Amino acid sequence: ENLNVGNIMLIGIGQTLNLSVYYKLGIRGVYYGNKFGLELPYITTFPYNIRINNPQYIGCILTLCGLYPLISFEYLIYSSSLYYFTMYVERE
């Protein structure tokens, strides 16, 4: 099937969130540098100021939802559940 405008919007929003996290935290922040003793800045700007927890994971889930015509429903549920599980494990 083909992607429609809604799918493209979900992918765009999802990747905006995902890439914004990479841009703001850098590679060390995204890959748990704080757990290895690296000092990281506390970010209060986008995407951390839009009142959603885990903007990177939410962005990935939105991207998967946007890709639904190209991936199976089972894969969408499986991969999204992994992100939800990670959000649960990482909650503070």
Side-chain angles (χ1 to χ4, degrees):
E1 291 187 38
N2 295 325
L3 298 177
N4 62 34
V5 173
N7 296 106
I8 293 169
M9 286 178 59
L10 284 172
I11 294 167
I13 293 167
Q15 286 305 295
T16 297
L17 290 171
N18 187 23
L19 295 173
S20 294
V21 169
Y22 271 89
Y23 178 74
K24 293 296 171 98
L25 293 181
I27 200 89
R28 291 178 177 185
V30 170
Y31 293 107
Y32 305 102
N34 61 327
K35 304 290 186 192
F36 297 106
L38 298 175
E39 198 165 314
L40 302 170
Y42 187 78
I43 308 296
T44 58
T45 57
F46 184 81
Y48 295 99
N49 63 351
I50 58 172
R51 297 184 172 266
I52 62 169
N53 293 326
N54 302 296
Q56 182 182 19
Y57 297 143
I58 298 298
C60 292
I61 292 168
L62 290 174
T63 298
L64 288 166
C65 290
L67 289 171
Y68 173 60
L70 304 177
I71 62 175
S72 70
F73 182 71
E74 292 81 10
Y75 182 77
L76 171 64
I77 296 301
Y78 170 73
S79 54
S80 294
S81 67
L82 294 176
Y83 284 114
Y84 283 116
F85 177 75
T86 304
M87 285 189 281
Y88 176 78
V89 169
E90 290 184 357
R91 73 188 187 285
E92 293 184 56

